[in-house]
């Protein structure tokens, strides 16, 4: 046998020993007072037997009354007369009730023509009415009726009492008593006494198992007379017997000479066997605990380390479920301890049956003990790992239910509707259950179902259908199918969701268009960049090769060098503009703002292009206010905006046309406009002009990088202003708006 198998058996043995030992301690707490403190004659079991005998003795001997004597003791009080008289209401109510009881029967006899039955029923009704009327007229009439009822109850008492006489006889064979009426001196005993015999010769500790005074019995066991627990209860007889205030003294003892077949002796012998068995059980349980302690002390790793094998599985169970399982395990463990204890507390002559029950109970207790200790061990880990406890709490079913409730009320209207709906459904369910109990509720249930249940069902079906349409439409959208918009009905949360889905669909459509446009512009960007960079680069390569020609004339060499210089500068401008546009678009640029006069800055930009403007055929018209217009801007960067816009005017304006530039101060804004007539036809999408390398001259014959507007717009955006383009036919208008300062 390998070590692993031995370890398993050791754990099983340890769990069985601990379970047996704990069952002994548990039994000591619950049954110790019965077996370890005092003896049988101080136990509740003996007290029950003694109280039962005293009750029978009280009726059959000490308070013996004949039936006739008891009937003579009957009394009727005024309260009893009034209660009997008004038992079924006042006189009018009782007469009305009697009339209604006979009305239908008499009418049926009349309808059938049976005069005899009609007369008999009428006579019977009138007699009852007369009797009831007499009740209210005469107390003696009522008293006689009550006396008759009580006499009947006494007759019933004595009939029932005879059923208990044999029990009294059997008790008398086990118990010996000697009682004396202190007032009359009358003696009641089942001893056979001769002249000169003393009661102490018969009722003593030598002849009796236990002797008690009659007064002590009444005081100790709380005897108060006839008890329903021991004999048939009869309120009339008990009231009469309770008034017999006889004062008795004497002794009662349990005889050692009584036959063992009698219940009182059998109970005593049975208790002795149980007491010996219980003491042995206590000793064995203590020994089992000591043995379990020794095993755990010598082999702690084997006993407690085995639990680690179950930790991965147990960790998957939610924390609150674990708590519930642990509480259930504790409850069932206590139950198994009780079952083990009962095998020793209640002696069973069938040893084989008791042994089988003990083995089953002990095995169940050991398994529950091991399972419970494993849970306690894992729960103890939370003491040193607060984060683990927090994580497991968030995974618990209660926390998830709490989160689910919060999520249900994220949109309050849905949560409220859900609660109301569940309330109606629960109410209808209660009505349906009530119909099963009381058929009269069928009307209420039917009305509730018609006016509440059916409308709710229709509303739920419509909501479910609308929701299904939204779900299907959303699935189509997720699959890339644009489809048509969902109809928005009402102002419910479903309608809002449908509107949101429609907005999302339209956004996706716009996104697709923008994506397609972006792809087109990307292709154009690559083409334009390639064209604009390749053109001067090709010229540079060509004229460089020409310079290598032997015997090149000096004038040609100078011409080629001039061309190379011009193309190189052109290439540098393109590259610088490209870097600047990229830098502007990324926002990775530092502005050095200051208070600048926009009119003066515009004049400086125009002065830079004064020669080009004078050589062109364009007619420039500038309008500006007489006072300065200030803005908090980076003057160098904003000058670049004006420079680019004026440069575009010079390159793309129609010859012999007018150019209008104006500066206005409107409230807190400075508005600058640049208007010219274009020589090239512009496309429909004006926003594309802001794209890099996009030109109004799509044939790209003019000088320029195609980055002027892109750079200008980026600079204005960095100043938190706006640069917009408008085209009306061939009229091209650029509007720059900046925040004005005073």
């Amino acid at each position: 046998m390998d070590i692993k198998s031995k370890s398993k058996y050791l754990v099983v043995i340890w769990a069985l020993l601990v379970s047996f030992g704990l069952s002994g301690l548990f039994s000591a707490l619950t049954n110790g007072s019965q077996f370890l403190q005092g003896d049988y004659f101080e136990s509740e079991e003996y007290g029950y037997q003694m109280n039962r005998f005293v009750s029978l003795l009280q009726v059959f001997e000490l308070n013996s009354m004949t039936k006739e004597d008891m009937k003579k003791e009957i009394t009727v009080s005024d309260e009893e007369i009034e209660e009997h008289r008004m038992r079924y209401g006042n006189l009018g109510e009782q007469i009305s009730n009697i009339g209604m009881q006979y009305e239908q029967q008499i009418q049926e006899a009349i309808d059938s023509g049976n005069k005899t039955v009609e007369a008999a029923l009428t006579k019977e009704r009138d007699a009852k009415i007369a009797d009831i009327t007499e009740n209210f007229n005469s107390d003696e009439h009522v008293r006689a009726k009550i006396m008759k009822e009580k006499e009947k109850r006494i007759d019933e008492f004595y009939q029932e009492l005879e059923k208990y006489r044999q029990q009294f006889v059997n008790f008398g064979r086990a118990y010996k008593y000697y009682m004396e009426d202190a007032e009359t001196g009358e003696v009641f005993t089942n001893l056979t006494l001769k002249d000169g015999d003393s009661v102490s010769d018969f009722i003593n500790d030598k002849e009796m198992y236990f002797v008690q005074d009659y007064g002590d019995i009444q005081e100790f066991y709380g005897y108060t007379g006839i008890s329903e627990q021991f004999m048939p209860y009869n309120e009339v007889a008990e009231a009469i017997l309770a008034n017999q205030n006889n004062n008795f003294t004497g002794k009662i003892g349990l005889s050692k000479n009584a036959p063992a077949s009698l219940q009182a002796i059998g109970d005593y012998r049975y208790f002795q066997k149980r007491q010996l068995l219980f003491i042995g059980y206590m000793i064995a349980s203590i020994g089992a605990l000591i043995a379990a302690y020794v095993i755990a002390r010598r082999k702690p790793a084997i006993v407690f380390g085995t639990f680690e094998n179950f930790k991965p599985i147990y960790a998957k169970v939610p924390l609150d479920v674990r708590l519930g399982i642990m509480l259930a395990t504790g409850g069932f463990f206590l139950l198994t301890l009780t079952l083990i204890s009962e095998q020793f507390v209640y002696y069973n002559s069938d040893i084989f049956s008791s042994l089988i029950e003990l083995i089953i109970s002990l095995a169940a207790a050991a398994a529950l003990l091991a399972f419970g200790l494993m849970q306690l061990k894992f729960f103890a880990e939370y003491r040193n790992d607060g984060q683990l406890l927090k994580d497991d709490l968030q995974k618990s079913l209660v926390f998830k239910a709490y989160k689910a409730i919060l999520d249900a009320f994220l949109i309050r209207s849905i949560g409220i509707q859900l609660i109301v709906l569940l309330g109606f459904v629960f109410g209808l369910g209660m009505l349906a259950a009530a119909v099963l109990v009381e058929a009269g509720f069928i009307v209420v249930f039917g009305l509730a179902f018609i006016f509440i249940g059916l409308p709710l069902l229709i509303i739920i079906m419509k909501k479910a259908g609308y929701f299904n349409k939204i779900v299907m439409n959303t699935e189509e959208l997720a699959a890339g199918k644009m489809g048509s918009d969902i109809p928005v009905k009402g102002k419910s949360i479903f309608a809002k969701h449908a509107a949101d889905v429609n907005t999302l669909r339209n956004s996706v459509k716009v996104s697709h268009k923008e994506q397609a446009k972006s792809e087109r512009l990307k292709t154009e960007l690559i083409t334009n960049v390639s064209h604009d960079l390749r053109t001067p680069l090709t010229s540079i390569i060509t004229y460089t090769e020409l310079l290598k020609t032997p015997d090149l004339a000096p004038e040609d060499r100078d011409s080629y060098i001039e061309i190379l210089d011009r193309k190189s500068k052109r290439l540098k401008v393109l590259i610088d503009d490209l870097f600047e546009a990229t830098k502007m678009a990324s926002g990775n640029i530092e502005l050095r703002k200051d208070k600048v006069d926009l009119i003066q800055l515009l004049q400086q930009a125009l002065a830079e292009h004064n020669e080009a403007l004078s050589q062109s055929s364009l007619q420039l018209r500038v309008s500006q206010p007489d006072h300065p217009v200030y803005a908090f801007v980076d003057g160098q960067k904003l000058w670049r905006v004006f420079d680019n816009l004026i440069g575009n005017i010079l390159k793309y304006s129609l010859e012999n046309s007018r150019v209008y530039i104006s500066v206005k101060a409107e409230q807190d804004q400075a508005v600058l406009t640049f208007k010219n007539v274009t020589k090239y036809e512009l496309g429909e999408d004006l926003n594309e002009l802001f794209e890099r390398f996009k030109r109004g001259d799509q044939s790209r014959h003019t000088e320029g990088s195609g980055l002027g507007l892109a750079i200008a717009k980026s600079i204005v955006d960095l100043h938190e202003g706006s640069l917009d383009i408008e085209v009306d036919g061939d009229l091209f208008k650029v509007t720059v708006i900046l925040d004005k300062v005073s």
Side-chain angles (χ1 to χ4, degrees):
M1 185 181 295
D2 58 11
I3 297 176
K4 189 174 183 181
S5 298
K6 291 182 179 179
S7 300
K8 289 182 178 179
Y9 286 125
L10 186 61
V11 171
V12 172
I13 292 171
W14 179 84
L16 290 172
L17 290 172
V18 173
S19 299
F20 184 77
L22 290 178
S23 71
L25 294 180
F26 179 76
S27 185
L29 293 174
T30 55
N31 302 295
S33 60
Q34 180 181 0
F35 295 107
L36 302 178
Q37 299 176 6
D39 56 17
Y40 171 70
F41 301 106
E42 296 178 0
S43 67
E44 292 182 1
E45 296 177 11
Y46 180 74
Y48 177 84
Q49 294 293 337
M50 178 60 76
N51 206 3
R52 188 175 179 185
F53 171 68
V54 171
S55 295
L56 293 171
L57 178 65
Q58 184 84 10
V59 175
F60 286 108
E61 288 286 338
L62 305 183
N63 288 322
S64 59
M65 296 179 68
T66 64
K67 185 190 305 184
E68 288 70 22
D69 290 340
M70 188 172 288
K71 288 182 179 180
K72 291 178 183 179
E73 297 293 329
I74 294 175
T75 59
V76 179
S77 65
D78 294 339
E79 290 78 10
E80 290 177 314
I81 293 174
E82 187 64 21
E83 188 278 331
H84 182 89
R85 178 179 289 154
M86 302 298 294
R87 185 175 298 170
Y88 302 106
N90 57 38
L91 178 61
E93 291 172 346
Q94 294 187 48
I95 292 175
S96 176
N97 289 335
I98 293 172
M100 287 189 294
Q101 292 174 13
Y102 285 89
E103 181 179 4
Q104 184 176 356
Q105 300 179 53
I106 293 174
Q107 186 60 46
E108 290 176 355
I110 294 173
D111 294 341
S112 62
N114 194 332
K115 299 292 185 180
T116 303
V117 174
E118 178 188 353
L121 291 172
T122 303
K123 183 179 179 181
E124 184 178 332
R125 180 198 63 189
D126 294 342
K128 288 185 176 181
I129 292 175
D131 180 65
I132 293 299
T133 304
E134 187 64 20
N135 283 347
F136 283 86
N137 293 333
S138 172
D139 288 349
E140 293 303 319
H141 180 74
V142 178
R143 189 186 308 276
K145 293 171 68 175
I146 296 175
M147 289 284 292
K148 189 174 181 181
E149 290 178 0
K150 289 189 174 184
E151 288 176 354
K152 183 178 179 181
R153 291 290 291 148
I154 290 174
D155 291 336
E156 293 173 354
F157 172 71
Y158 276 94
Q159 289 177 2
E160 290 291 328
L161 191 61
E162 286 303 315
K163 298 178 182 179
Y164 291 85
R165 185 172 294 279
Q166 187 59 44
Q167 290 186 21
F168 176 65
V169 172
N170 290 335
F171 271 114
R173 296 169 64 191
Y175 291 98
K176 301 302 178 181
Y177 60 89
Y178 182 89
M179 312 295 295
E180 183 177 352
D181 191 330
E183 296 179 0
T184 64
E186 185 178 1
V187 174
F188 300 89
T189 182
N190 60 351
L191 298 174
T192 303
L193 298 176
K194 299 178 182 179
D195 292 340
D197 288 344
S198 172
V199 176
S200 300
D201 296 335
F202 295 91
I203 303 179
N204 53 52
D205 294 338
K206 182 179 179 181
E207 300 292 333
M208 302 290 160
Y209 287 114
F210 188 69
V211 179
Q212 276 185 295
D213 289 335
Y214 177 72
D216 293 340
I217 296 172
Q218 287 185 308
E219 180 180 354
F220 183 78
Y221 297 112
Y223 177 73
T224 57
I226 298 176
S227 172
E228 189 175 6
Q229 183 179 7
F230 306 115
M231 294 194 315
Y233 179 74
N234 188 296
E235 70 279 3
V236 177
E238 183 179 10
I240 293 172
L241 291 174
N243 289 329
Q244 305 302 311
N245 296 321
N246 295 331
N247 185 14
F248 294 97
T249 60
K251 294 182 179 182
I252 299 177
L254 180 62
S255 176
K256 291 182 179 180
N257 298 321
S261 59
L262 295 178
Q263 183 177 355
I265 303 301
D267 289 346
Y268 173 56
R269 301 282 173 80
Y270 178 64
F271 177 83
Q272 287 180 316
K273 292 179 180 179
R274 291 168 59 200
Q275 189 176 42
L276 289 174
L277 184 63
F278 185 80
I279 293 173
Y281 172 45
M282 291 295 101
I283 295 172
S285 63
I286 294 172
L289 287 176
I290 294 173
Y293 173 77
V294 172
I295 293 174
R297 183 71 178 258
R298 292 183 177 179
K299 305 287 186 179
I302 294 177
V303 174
F304 300 105
T306 306
F307 300 147
E308 292 295 327
N309 299 330
F310 302 95
K311 186 174 181 180
I313 299 174
Y314 189 71
K316 296 179 181 179
V317 181
L319 180 60
D320 45 359
V321 176
R322 289 187 228 164
L323 286 171
I325 293 174
M326 188 169 69
L327 292 175
T329 302
F332 282 113
F333 180 65
L334 291 177
L335 177 61
T336 55
L337 293 184
T338 303
L339 295 175
I340 296 171
S341 173
E342 286 181 353
Q343 307 308 316
F344 298 95
V345 172
Y346 301 101
Y347 176 77
N348 190 349
S349 58
D350 187 354
I351 298 177
F352 179 77
S353 176
S354 296
L355 186 61
I356 294 297
E357 292 181 12
L358 176 63
I359 292 173
I360 294 173
S361 301
L362 193 58
L368 290 169
L369 173 67
F371 188 47
L373 289 177
M374 179 188 72
Q375 296 176 75
L376 288 174
K377 183 177 185 298
F378 295 154
F379 270 106
E381 294 179 0
Y382 289 128
R383 293 182 302 175
N384 302 321
D385 195 343
Q387 185 60 42
L388 177 62
L389 176 61
K390 184 178 180 181
D391 294 341
D392 285 349
L393 281 173
Q394 292 178 350
K395 296 176 183 177
S396 65
L397 297 182
V398 172
F399 185 80
K400 289 180 179 179
Y402 169 72
K403 289 291 292 181
I405 293 172
L406 291 182
D407 291 343
F409 281 88
L410 282 176
I411 301 175
R412 186 175 298 177
S413 60
I414 289 183
I416 294 174
Q417 291 175 26
L418 182 63
I419 293 297
V420 172
L421 178 62
L422 290 176
F424 280 123
V425 172
F426 181 77
L428 289 173
M430 293 294 291
L431 285 175
V435 170
L436 298 177
V437 177
E438 180 59 51
F441 281 100
I442 188 69
V443 177
V444 179
F445 175 75
L447 293 174
F449 182 76
I450 292 172
F451 293 103
I452 298 177
L454 283 179
L456 276 178
L457 180 61
I458 294 172
I459 292 172
I460 291 172
M461 295 302 291
K462 289 179 68 177
K463 295 284 186 182
Y466 191 35
F467 179 72
N468 288 337
K469 288 181 180 179
I470 296 173
V471 171
M472 293 178 65
N473 203 283
T474 306
E475 289 178 352
E476 291 179 358
L477 180 60
K481 301 177 182 178
M482 293 298 103
S484 57
D485 287 350
I486 308 170
V488 179
K489 302 176 181 179
K491 297 182 179 180
S492 67
I493 190 62
F494 288 142
K496 185 178 181 302
H497 183 53
D500 291 341
V501 172
N502 291 339
T503 302
L504 179 61
R505 174 183 288 101
N506 294 329
S507 299
V508 171
K509 288 180 179 178
V510 172
S511 177
H512 285 176
K513 290 180 180 178
E514 291 293 332
Q515 186 176 359
K517 175 184 174 182
S518 177
E519 291 295 330
R520 178 174 59 82
L521 291 175
K522 188 186 298 181
T523 303
E524 292 182 2
L525 173 63
I526 295 172
T527 302
N528 293 338
V529 169
S530 300
H531 178 274
D532 288 346
L533 294 178
R534 188 172 58 247
T535 300
L537 187 59
T538 301
S539 298
I540 292 172
I541 294 171
T542 301
Y543 285 100
T544 301
E545 291 295 329
L546 291 175
L547 284 174
K548 296 178 182 179
T549 304
D551 303 327
L552 184 65
E555 59 274 14
D556 292 334
R557 184 182 301 276
D558 294 339
S559 176
Y560 294 163
I561 291 173
E562 182 183 354
I563 294 172
L564 285 173
D565 181 65
R566 188 170 67 252
K567 295 299 182 181
S568 298
K569 291 178 179 178
R570 168 63 180 159
L571 185 60
K572 182 178 182 303
V573 169
L574 287 172
I575 294 173
D576 289 344
D577 286 350
L578 177 60
F579 282 140
E580 187 170 2
T582 304
K583 198 173 182 181
M584 291 289 182
S586 65
N588 187 22
I589 189 170
E590 182 180 356
L591 296 179
R592 297 179 181 178
K593 293 184 178 182
D594 200 358
K595 185 177 180 181
V596 176
D597 182 4
L598 298 180
I599 296 176
Q600 184 180 0
L601 188 64
L602 177 62
Q603 291 297 333
Q604 291 177 3
L606 289 172
E608 287 290 330
H609 294 276
N610 187 43
E611 183 178 354
L613 287 169
S614 61
Q615 292 178 358
S616 68
S617 60
L618 300 176
Q619 300 178 29
L620 180 64
R621 299 290 187 268
V622 180
S623 60
Q624 58 192 34
D626 296 335
H627 54 81
V629 177
Y630 293 105
F632 195 66
V633 296
D634 185 328
Q636 183 179 359
K637 297 293 187 297
L638 194 60
W639 180 89
R640 179 66 186 275
V641 173
F642 296 160
D643 182 69
N644 286 354
L645 294 177
I646 295 170
N648 280 346
I649 289 173
L650 288 170
K651 284 184 286 187
Y652 299 114
S653 294
L654 183 66
E655 293 80 359
N656 299 313
S657 62
R658 294 186 183 88
V659 176
Y660 296 90
I661 300 176
S662 67
V663 181
K664 295 181 181 178
E666 298 179 355
Q667 297 181 351
D668 295 333
Q669 294 179 329
V671 181
L672 298 93
T673 58
F674 300 79
K675 294 187 288 186
N676 66 291
V677 179
T678 64
K679 65 170 70 173
Y680 303 105
E681 185 177 352
L682 300 176
E684 295 181 358
D685 194 347
L686 299 178
N687 291 328
E688 292 186 7
L689 292 176
F690 290 122
E691 298 294 334
R692 300 173 209 174
F693 293 97
K694 192 72 177 180
R695 297 192 197 173
D697 171 20
Q698 296 186 9
S699 63
R700 312 186 73 80
H701 292 155
T702 59
E703 292 289 332
S705 63
L707 297 171
L709 284 178
I711 294 173
K713 181 170 177 57
S714 297
I715 292 173
V716 174
D717 289 342
L718 289 173
H719 283 83
E720 298 180 355
S722 65
L723 189 153
D724 298 314
I725 297 175
E726 296 179 34
V727 174
D728 186 1
D730 291 333
L731 178 62
F732 185 79
K733 178 181 177 182
V734 178
T735 303
V736 178
I737 301 177
L738 297 168
D739 291 335
K740 182 172 70 71
V741 296
S742 51

